[in-house]
Amino acid sequence: MGTTEHTVKAFDEDIGELRGLISEMGGRAEAAIVAAMDALVKSDTSAASRIVSEDTRIDELESQVEKLAVRIIALRAPMADDLREVVAAIKIAGVIERIGDYAKNIAKRVPLIESRRMIEPISLLPAMANTATEMVHDVLNAFAARDAALALRVIERDNVVDDFYNSIFRTLVTFMMENPKTIGEAAHLLFVAKNLERVGDHATNVAEMVYYAATGEYLGDRAGREG
Amino acid sequence: MENMTETLKMTARDVSVFYGAKQAIKSVSIDIDMANVTAFIGPSGCGKSTFLRTLNRMNDTISGARVEGRIELDGEDIYASSMDVVQLRARVGMVFQKPNPFPKSIYENVAYGPRIHGLAPAKADLDRMVESALRKAGLWDEVKDRLNESGTALSGGQQQRLCIARAIAVDPEVVLMDEPCSALDPIATAKIEELIHELRGRYAIAIVTHNMQQAARVSQKTAFFHLGTLVEYGDTSEIFTNPREERTKDYITGRYG
């Protein structure tokens, strides 16, 4: 699909640039989540503040995506899969920006969780983060390759992240009851888990858009499911 | 859609057109209904204009042209020997690419059809028909004070609306438009498009256009032709956002053509 070139080559260049921006945004958001979790586990506050400041780059990329998409719509009047891709790109950029915000949010909590070594459930978070970032990683590949099947597999994995969240929630609540002095830190960890759970949700939303861009069908229409 | 059978105006079934030995249209079946504007799109030479012309037998005038298959207007075979071609063309009017008003007054351009078809018994009837047609064509206010000036003195966009007024003056059931805006500037084009929008429902309208944005703007049904075949036919919104056929997609996204 979409392998043939447009007669107007500048159109292909615009679409290529749009995809490039999305890839860069996605790559940065994914790396930010990984780095934020790393900073959290190592209690590395300087890495954490770097992640917070680097989030502005993701915001800038989002506005670049919007401007380019508007220009493409105005100048190229895209149709069919081109149109779907441009619309999906705008929406995906918005979602990735949110994923970047979650990374920033996790990073901001790093200095607030000082006694983390005492909070044993923290060991569950990196595995949850891995699954969530893998979803982000895969969904961006699916967008780049217009791969509807890969997008569907990302959606299926959202359950895993949800299960992680439920299990971490229960563990943390139990831990808080047993160690009331750690409630402050444990609550922060709970928010971190919630942020990761949202990252999984957002990756799922992106996957639905990728599926639409690739096939022209809304997943909601097919299965009656809610993202 | 549910009232398709009630609003169905013309049906073409397995229509093929030959120019001598060359087959220009290959077994095309399509319906034209009252409720929708139907756009025919496709690259040059795909047969869309040829097909449009079969709908009021304009191809009859081309020597060596031959039409096979069946085309019905209200269930009546338009290629039957009993069909009066002049009458048919009054019922199925046509507007061409370049505005072609007669070198006569604005009034006479519009009055011509009703007069030759004997639709206007008295001068007052004719006046009324001319005014009505010019109003429907959105031209009345611009020309009401100079009906005796030559039609050819109007601007290109006005001339085209005059031709539309001329086509609808005989109260046709179907209006065929063959690239009606390709010689017009964007403002005149917008006026024609607005007019098409207003005429929808009153007449069954089929339009050939090279401008895909125009097809997207004015039609509710789109038919994509390629190499003499009807590749895809469906709701315009579907065709332009999610075409089923690869060839349609390649064409509308500008990958060939």
Side-chain angles (χ1 to χ4, degrees), chain A residues 1-2 4-7 11 77 79-84 215-216, chain B residues 212-213 216 240-244 246 249-250 252-256:
Chain A
M1 244 180 120
T4 26
E5 293 179 348
H6 291 94
T7 309
F11 194 171
M79 291 288 191
D81 54 346
D82 293 334
L83 176 62
R84 300 199 305 266
T215 64
Chain B
M212 279 176 293
Q213 293 300 321
F240 285 100
T241 59
N242 192 15
R244 298 284 150 214
E246 201 75 359
K249 191 195 80 182
D250 285 349
I252 62 167
T253 57
R255 289 189 169 86
Y256 75 60

Side-chain angles (χ1 to χ4, degrees), chain A residues 164-178:
Chain A
F164 262 119
Y165 175 70
N166 291 331
S167 139
I168 289 169
F169 179 86
R170 281 194 305 272
T171 313
L172 277 171
V173 168
T174 309
F175 192 84
M176 284 188 255
M177 287 190 292
E178 289 168 358

Side-chain angles (χ1 to χ4, degrees), chain A residues 4-6 13 24 27 35 40 53 59 70 77 87 98 108 118 133 154 170 172 174 179 185 202:
Chain A
T4 26
E5 293 179 348
H6 291 94
E13 288 162 20
E24 190 188 342
L40 182 76
S53 65
D59 297 349
V70 166
V87 171
R98 292 305 308 272
K108 278 180 173 172
M118 295 164 55
T133 47
V154 170
R170 281 194 305 272
L172 277 171
T174 309
N179 308 276
E185 283 86 354
H202 282 320

